[in-house]
Amino acid sequence: MKQIFVRPELCMGCRSCEIGCEVQHSKDKTLFSAVLQSPSPSPRLFVEAAEDIKMPVICRHCEEAPCLNGCISGCLYRDEKGFVRRKKERCIGCWSCMMLCPFGVITRDKEKRIAVKCDRCHKLDLPACVSACPTGALQLVDLDEVPKEIRSRAVLSGTSAYRS
Amino acid sequence: MRHVIIGGSIAGISAAKAIRQSDPSAEVTVLSGEKARPYYRPMIPFLIRKGDIDITFEGDLEKRYGFAVAYEKAAGIDVAKKEVRLESGRNISYDRLLIATGSRPVVPAIPGIRGEAVFTLRTAQDARSIGKSAEKARSAVVLGGGLVGIKTAIALRKAGLGVTIVEKLDCILPGKFDRRGSEIISNIVEKEGIRVLTGISISEVVRAKGELRGVRLSSGDTLDAGMLIVAAGTLPDLDIVKGTGIRTRTGVLIDENLRTSVPDIYAAGDVVEYTDLVFGRSAVSALWTNAEEMGRLAGRNMAGGKAKYEGFLSVLNSSEIFDIPVMAIGLVEPDPLSREYESLVEDNVDSYKKLVFKGSVLVGAVFINDVENAGIYTNLIRSRMQMGGLKEEAIKGSLRYINFIRTVPEQTMSA
Ligand SMILES: Cc1cc2nc3c(=O)[nH]c(=O)nc-3n(C[C@H](O)[C@H](O)[C@H](O)COP(=O)(O)OP(=O)(O)OC[C@H]3O[C@@H](n4cnc5c(N)ncnc54)[C@H](O)[C@@H]3O)c2cc1C
Ligand code: SF4
Ligand code: SF4
């Protein structure tokens, strides 16, 4: 299965991915509507920066997804492509998923009071964030084609065993 | 291999799924004593006002995962013959058995409590009965200020009833939130018109010709009420394990592979007593999330796996109280006399946040109306990671996932 790879060493912190995501999830999918829409469509990934590193933090559609396993309403489910998605009408805004996502990539739609998360642009060939990234810091790749040593480095230090 | 699961709720169903995923040839029978399609139990407060919303697990589980659900209650276990006796008198044999009977509401022995118009809230049926009774009643008393009590009170308030919560301890949400957090939540519900009485207990349920009139309080006062909801907590449902030799304390005791003391019998969910990751002692969890995880791991092990279960956080609550998100995770109110713990607090006009540290390890967190990124903190608590210099950052709220990535050249992650 193709997955989104993040390469922090290529990230300039320009936030094009966030804007691409907002546009894709705005009402008529234009930058104009994304800017004017109120409340503005929240991005579903976040460019974060620490002292010596910048990178987009993105939903990993975890194999054992804490958000999905802990959802108390049946709103979150795994679709046929393996993506963790929402059945919006089932969400009751209990924020359990937010309490459980170890990557901090679930946000709240404060107006509708429902959880917002990455849907992997399941209708597009290329996710909007990947299309928008000018440097290749976000790439869609076939996991099997990524050399093993790069993949093994994808296990990030300091997080517990939520495999992706 | 023939697997039998007693209890058809989240622990039982996630075990059944996991067994079938690990071993597609396994034969799995789930016994559902509630005689209802598996459903999302935490959703039942919503049935009080709208009895017809669909809260069941979607799709045809049996077809999709290939297990059978029998809507029958187990009446006994013969551990020597490896058989489960059903209420109908039929026996079914097992190679591996899972106890997933969950927990049951506790009803304190108060004079007059048995009788009409007194309810507990544990099943979808309970919720619908409460809803029906609420159509006629003008006021309700809720015994117990835990999360279930508060959720019931909110539903009844929204249905237009006058509602009073009576909590015998001196604050609501005892053990689930810290004192300040509980005070804030108390203020929120009171502002919405729910009365909260703490440090007071109900000494008698007042009836006239059997009909509920109200309750008498330990203070001597009486409260009028058309209905009484008992939300005094739950205890593991141990009926089925009595006389089997399965070791229990408050709940069924399990080892790190979720096995009970009797060979080939496992247990998962609310019925279990096991290690709390931050309390440093065993506890019962009474949480959906934990029941799902235990069920999944038990199922995997029943099918031959060796999944190791380290334990759960028995405080892991997230909810919305009248549009205000509130969360409590881990050890939220350390013993004030202990020097081992340090609490960092940010108490603002419109939000509240508390982090509890043991040395440089985060062991507890409370978030009210400022819950973004909470999952990062939950993960830190669960993984008992050394935080070093990030403590101050943590309370300021700027802590994000990236703070935990030690820079490795060319580090990559997948999504
Ligand atoms: C109103 C309410 C709100 C809640 N909200 C939350 C929340 O927001 N977040 C959260 O994490 N948790 C919440 N919970 C707790 C959560 O619902 C439980 O932790 C969870 O349901 C436990 O799952 P379980 O499978 O272990 O047991 P249960 O859900 O208790 O199910 C056990 C099942 O086994 C059946 N059974 C018992 N004995 C037998 C027998 N002999 N034969 C056959 N079947 C039997 C029972 O009838 C029952 O259907 C809430 C609970 C309630 C009541
Ligand atoms: S836990 Fe977080 S990263 Fe994993 S699938 Fe859920 S939202 Fe995505
Ligand atoms: S906020 Fe919505 S999606 Fe998240 S756990 Fe609650 S019901 Fe599920």
Side-chain angles (χ1 to χ4, degrees):
Chain A
M1 189 176 84
K2 289 205 164 175
Q3 303 205 295
I4 299 176
F5 248 62
V6 181
R7 307 196 55 187
E9 76 281 7
L10 297 178
C11 178
M12 308 186 293
C14 72
R15 297 183 180 262
S16 300
C17 52
E18 286 185 10
I19 295 167
C21 180
E22 279 182 349
V23 170
Q24 175 61 27
H25 296 100
S26 66
K27 279 197 195 89
D28 58 14
K29 303 195 188 336
T30 63
L31 180 58
F32 198 60
S33 82
V35 173
L36 291 185
Q37 193 173 315
S38 171
S40 60
S42 154
R44 290 123 204 254
L45 81 171
F46 304 90
V47 176
E48 298 184 0
E51 279 166 14
D52 41 11
I53 183 170
K54 289 191 205 69
M55 66 177 233
V57 175
I58 183 169
C59 168
R60 298 162 64 125
H61 297 272
C62 310
E63 197 172 280
E64 286 194 352
C67 63
L68 171 113
N69 292 339
C71 174
I72 62 164
S73 75
C75 164
L76 296 178
Y77 71 105
R78 193 175 298 280
D79 75 4
E80 60 292 345
K81 291 183 183 158
F83 304 148
V84 177
R85 295 199 10 229
R86 299 172 299 163
K87 291 191 187 104
K88 278 186 243 173
E89 66 290 352
R90 273 219 171 197
C91 181
I92 53 150
C94 71
W95 319 122
S96 298
C97 52
M98 220 170 150
M99 173 176 73
L100 297 168
C101 169
F103 303 98
V105 291
I106 294 185
T107 52
R108 290 189 289 151
D109 181 329
K110 291 185 187 166
E111 199 121 306
K112 298 200 192 102
R113 312 208 78 77
I114 59 171
V116 177
K117 77 172 288 299
C118 169
D119 61 359
R120 257 303 301 274
C121 295
H122 58 100
K123 288 183 192 143
L124 303 180
D125 290 336
L126 203 58
C129 54
V130 176
S131 310
C133 179
T135 68
L138 284 167
Q139 292 172 16
L140 192 68
V141 295
D142 199 323
L143 203 58
D144 298 332
E145 286 163 20
V146 176
K148 214 176 176 165
E149 88 248 21
I150 294 189
R151 260 198 292 163
S152 64
R153 273 195 229 124
V155 180
L156 300 173
S157 62
T159 57
S160 61
Y162 299 110
R163 291 189 299 134
S164 80
Chain B
M1 191 70 101
R2 185 164 164 73
H3 299 266
V4 175
I5 293 170
I6 306 181
S9 183
I10 185 67
I13 296 297
S14 27
K17 282 198 223 167
I19 294 171
R20 293 282 308 172
Q21 270 159 0
S22 306
D23 176 7
S25 70
E27 203 183 312
V28 183
T29 305
V30 180
L31 299 172
S32 171
E34 235 177 285
K35 304 183 174 76
R37 252 181 78 76
Y39 60 90
Y40 289 90
R41 189 172 311 283
M43 294 292 284
I44 60 175
F46 294 92
L47 295 179
I48 293 177
R49 291 177 61 216
K50 279 186 100 184
D52 57 349
I53 54 171
D54 181 16
I55 62 164
T56 59
F57 288 12
E58 276 178 309
D60 190 336
L61 290 170
E62 289 152 276
K63 213 183 252 162
R64 191 153 104 225
Y65 296 98
F67 55 77
V69 181
Y71 294 93
E72 270 196 83
K73 206 166 171 188
I77 306 169
D78 186 330
V79 296
K81 283 202 206 139
K82 294 180 93 172
E83 272 180 3
V84 177
R85 186 164 37 83
L86 304 184
E87 261 187 344
S88 61
R90 192 159 66 95
N91 288 325
I92 52 174
S93 64
Y94 63 83
D95 297 309
R96 300 268 153 83
L97 179 69
L98 180 72
I99 313 289
T101 50
S103 52
R104 269 197 316 225
V106 175
V107 179
I110 297 170
I113 203 160
R114 302 275 163 197
E116 57 92 50
V118 177
F119 303 88
T120 54
L121 179 61
R122 183 67 194 175
T123 65
Q125 197 45 51
D126 292 342
R128 294 195 183 101
S129 308
I130 292 173
K132 227 187 215 140
S133 170
E135 283 169 13
K136 292 169 285 171
R138 298 222 320 270
S139 60
V141 167
V142 176
L143 185 167
L147 276 165
V148 171
I150 291 174
K151 287 179 189 183
T152 313
I154 292 174
L156 292 173
R157 181 72 199 131
K158 286 186 173 168
L161 278 75
V163 183
T164 308
I165 296 174
V166 181
E167 166 59 55
K168 126 179 121 183
L169 297 178
D170 60 359
C171 63
I172 58 166
L173 294 163
K176 297 294 173 199
F177 271 78
D178 65 322
R179 282 208 81 89
R180 177 69 185 133
S182 123
E183 207 174 281
I184 295 169
I185 294 170
S186 204
N187 289 340
I188 299 170
V189 298
E190 286 186 302
K191 230 175 77 191
E192 297 289 339
I194 294 172
R195 239 177 116 196
V196 178
L197 303 176
T198 54
I200 289 178
S201 56
I202 294 176
S203 51
E204 191 191 337
V205 177
V206 185
R207 293 180 184 276
K209 293 196 192 120
E211 203 172 299
L212 183 77
R213 286 296 154 85
V215 297
R216 186 158 298 121
L217 302 174
S218 55
S219 59
D221 296 339
T222 50
L223 291 174
D224 291 344
M227 54 195 297
L228 170 66
I229 290 87
V230 179
T234 59
L235 277 174
D237 185 342
L238 299 175
D239 281 358
I240 199 70
V241 302
K242 277 182 195 139
T244 57
I246 292 174
R247 281 189 58 216
T248 62
R249 221 165 12 226
T250 306
V252 173
L253 301 175
I254 53 168
D255 70 7
E256 59 176 30
N257 299 121
L258 296 110
R259 290 179 301 204
T260 69
S261 60
V262 171
D264 296 320
I265 303 184
Y266 295 70
D270 277 15
V271 76
V272 155
E273 173 172 346
Y274 193 56
T275 314
D276 181 291
L277 291 170
V278 293
F279 289 1
R281 57 171 167 77
S282 68
V284 288
S285 109
L287 288 169
W288 183 263
T289 331
N290 295 334
E292 189 281 335
E293 184 174 34
M294 283 187 248
R296 177 160 37 88
L297 298 181
R300 214 172 277 166
N301 290 346
M302 289 166 76
K306 275 273 161 284
K308 194 174 152 200
Y309 189 48
E310 286 194 51
F312 47 69
L313 296 171
S314 51
V315 174
L316 186 61
N317 301 300
S318 178
S319 190
E320 229 182 31
I321 310 281
F322 290 109
D323 290 354
I324 309 282
V326 302
M327 290 181 192
I329 306 146
L331 187 73
V332 289
E333 188 69 79
D335 178 358
L337 298 175
S338 165
R339 287 166 170 271
E340 260 186 303
Y341 299 98
E342 177 193 4
S343 300
L344 300 180
V345 172
E346 192 117 315
D347 199 347
N348 299 320
V349 196
D350 57 354
S351 70
Y352 173 72
K353 189 161 151 187
K354 173 178 180 177
L355 299 177
V356 181
F357 291 92
K358 187 177 185 182
S360 70
V361 176
L362 185 67
V363 293
V366 181
F367 302 105
I368 297 180
N369 211 18
D370 175 8
V371 297
E372 269 64 33
N373 277 322
I376 292 178
Y377 296 82
T378 305
N379 195 37
L380 286 171
I381 295 169
R382 284 189 67 131
S383 58
R384 285 160 287 177
M385 194 178 118
Q386 297 286 337
M387 300 252 316
L390 289 169
K391 255 162 117 169
E392 286 302 318
E393 206 131 347
I395 192 71
K396 273 188 273 152
S398 43
L399 205 60
R400 288 191 145 261
Y401 177 67
I402 199 154
N403 297 109
F404 300 94
I405 301 169
R406 300 279 51 83
T407 350
V408 181
E410 266 204 78
Q411 189 181 59
T412 341
M413 78 170 193
S414 64

